[in-house]
Amino acid sequence: MNQHPIANLQAVLDDGVELGIFPAAQAVVLHKGVQVFGGVAGNVKGDTRFDLASLTKVLSTTALFLRLWTEGKVGPDTLVSRYFPGSPAGDAGVTVADLLYHRSGLPPFVPFFADALKAHPELLDAACPASLRAQVHAEVLHAAAATPLDAPVRTKTAYSDVGFILLGDILARAGGAPLDVLFHRHIAEPLDLKARFHRLTDFPADGATAPTGAMRPREPAPGQESLWKDVPSQPSRPGEVDDDNAWVLDGVAGHAGLFGTAVDVARFGQAVLEGAAGTHAAIAPGPLWHRALATDPLVAGSTRSMGFDSPSKGHSSAGRFIGDTPPGAVGHLGFTGTSLWVDLRRSLVVALITNRVAQGRQDLRIRDFRPAFHELVVEALDLHVLP
């Protein structure tokens, strides 16, 4: 019996491991709500949780915004100054929508962890008391709120972890519970996801996790080499969040911190499809999904919608086909080597989850692997030419 072309994706994942692009991977492809591919490569299983990195921004933070928007507890026009009065973002009139669209003017990245570790090296101790972690959490949020804007609000798109750190705290306060509790209650349970945050004060994390880095803090990402120095370090425990800023926020933050499987990510992607179609309102009703998935109406040329991105022209991680036909596609990437793309026209969901940072942050071959993988998915399903 001839093997269906979609099954060849397993060999592609295996090649990724053999070539050293990543140590391990999971992938799930859904078409019209049916799983047409599920693969695992490397020394992991299907239920091994991966550090999802910035996929947290959509699976948790954006999804919780939609849920709380549905409940009338927060909305796009909610002012940052309501929660952070006197902050640069608050004084500039930044709204929750500005944070979601990445048009707040806040910088992409600030190494808050560096000052935190210099002031409190005992954070590196596994027995660090919860009271100190809570104190540092408050200090880091204060520092994030005090961050000056790089540009006037609503003048350009600049992807910002800092903005999503603030957004995560806003949602926690609006929802009346910690972010990880809200995620479990409003997103994981309704969608039957096993994904969860790994709070440091609730360690060890249950279940197996794919390794990322070995030291805390992690080595600088490309371009960050000069941003901090003389920071105390030591080996980190397996299962701790890779992102250092999320780590000093006790592993729970709006920009990173979520762990999950490709199945979790794909199920969330299917919820996006069904939400946009108005057939499933577990998170939000269709009209709110439509507003959330529409491209930023204020910044010309932006590929951003509320929390999500869309394929950019040229060399997109989604490849040549996903999103090439209206109404396009939405998705997001994660620094650890994770991605989700949802093609709204094709009713296609592709979750590709790796731990490429486990062998060093300087290896960027995932940037070529992702588009090639997504193009193979579309071609294997014979969806590359649409009527």
Side-chain angles (χ1 to χ4, degrees):
M1 182 180 295
N2 292 329
Q3 192 177 48
H4 191 281
I6 196 73
N8 295 333
L9 293 175
Q10 180 61 55
V12 176
L13 292 179
D14 292 336
D15 286 345
V17 173
E18 187 168 341
L19 292 170
I21 299 172
F22 41 74
Q26 298 171 346
V28 169
V29 178
L30 307 179
H31 183 226
K32 295 183 177 180
V34 177
Q35 181 171 320
V36 294
F37 175 76
V40 176
N43 190 24
V44 295
K45 299 179 180 178
D47 60 355
T48 302
R49 282 199 301 270
F50 283 66
D51 185 323
L52 299 180
S54 282
L55 289 189
T56 302
K57 291 183 174 73
V58 289
L59 269 77
S60 178
T61 309
T62 302
L64 284 174
F65 163 73
L66 283 165
R67 182 68 249 159
L68 296 178
W69 188 13
T70 300
E71 296 176 356
K73 294 178 178 178
V74 70
D77 297 327
T78 299
L79 291 167
V80 169
S81 59
R82 176 178 174 183
Y83 295 91
F84 296 102
S87 65
D91 290 345
V94 172
T95 66
V96 163
D98 296 328
L99 299 177
L100 285 162
Y101 285 122
H102 293 283
R103 64 186 188 199
S104 68
L106 286 164
F109 170 77
V110 176
F112 300 115
F113 66 88
D115 286 343
L117 279 170
K118 288 177 184 178
H120 308 285
E122 58 269 41
L123 288 168
L124 294 167
D125 188 342
C128 176
S131 58
L132 178 58
R133 294 201 187 277
Q135 174 190 329
V136 172
H137 185 281
E139 291 172 354
V140 170
L141 280 176
H142 178 78
T147 302
L149 272 59
D150 276 353
V153 62
R154 302 177 205 106
T155 59
K156 68 175 186 178
T157 301
Y159 180 78
S160 176
D161 276 2
V162 179
F164 265 71
I165 289 173
L166 297 182
L167 182 56
D169 187 66
I170 289 170
L171 296 177
R173 288 198 262 173
L179 205 61
D180 52 344
V181 174
L182 293 175
F183 172 76
H184 181 74
R185 180 188 302 163
H186 293 302
I187 311 301
E189 283 196 334
L191 299 184
D192 192 25
L193 308 183
K194 304 302 181 185
R196 56 161 288 188
F197 289 90
H198 288 185
R199 186 177 284 277
L200 299 181
T201 51
D202 185 25
F203 233 72
D206 62 308
T209 57
T212 52
M215 297 295 295
R216 180 73 58 194
R218 301 302 199 233
E219 65 176 298
Q224 297 178 353
E225 291 84 357
S226 63
L227 294 184
W228 68 90
K229 61 180 180 179
D230 301 326
V231 177
S233 65
Q234 71 177 40
S236 63
R237 295 174 292 179
E240 290 184 350
V241 62
D242 189 72
D243 184 277
D244 291 312
N245 280 338
W247 184 83
V248 294
L249 288 166
D250 202 22
V252 181
H255 71 296
L258 202 61
F259 286 72
T261 65
V263 169
D264 291 326
V265 175
R267 282 181 179 169
F268 176 78
Q270 185 62 29
V272 173
L273 273 179
E274 294 173 0
T279 59
H280 194 271
I283 296 175
L288 295 193
W289 273 110
H290 293 158
R291 288 183 62 185
L293 297 180
T295 304
D296 183 357
L298 298 184
V299 178
S302 175
T303 60
R304 297 284 171 180
S305 53
M306 290 188 182
F308 291 91
D309 200 3
S310 58
S312 56
K313 294 180 180 179
H315 188 73
S316 170
S317 73
R320 292 173 293 154
F321 307 124
I322 289 178
D324 64 351
T325 306
V330 294
H332 212 284
L333 308 182
F335 181 76
T336 51
T338 60
S339 63
L340 167 66
W341 284 107
V342 180
D343 191 307
L344 301 170
R345 170 71 187 278
R346 293 178 171 87
S347 296
L348 179 68
V349 176
V350 185
L352 173 61
I353 309 301
T354 81
N355 61 335
R356 66 104 191 167
V357 294
Q359 52 207 18
R361 292 183 162 197
Q362 303 299 317
D363 189 337
L364 300 179
R365 287 179 293 165
I366 190 71
R367 293 180 178 177
D368 294 322
F369 184 90
R370 281 185 180 125
F373 184 84
H374 291 114
E375 289 172 10
L376 288 170
V377 168
V378 177
E379 289 173 331
L381 294 173
D382 200 23
L383 295 173
H384 49 296
V385 178
L386 291 176

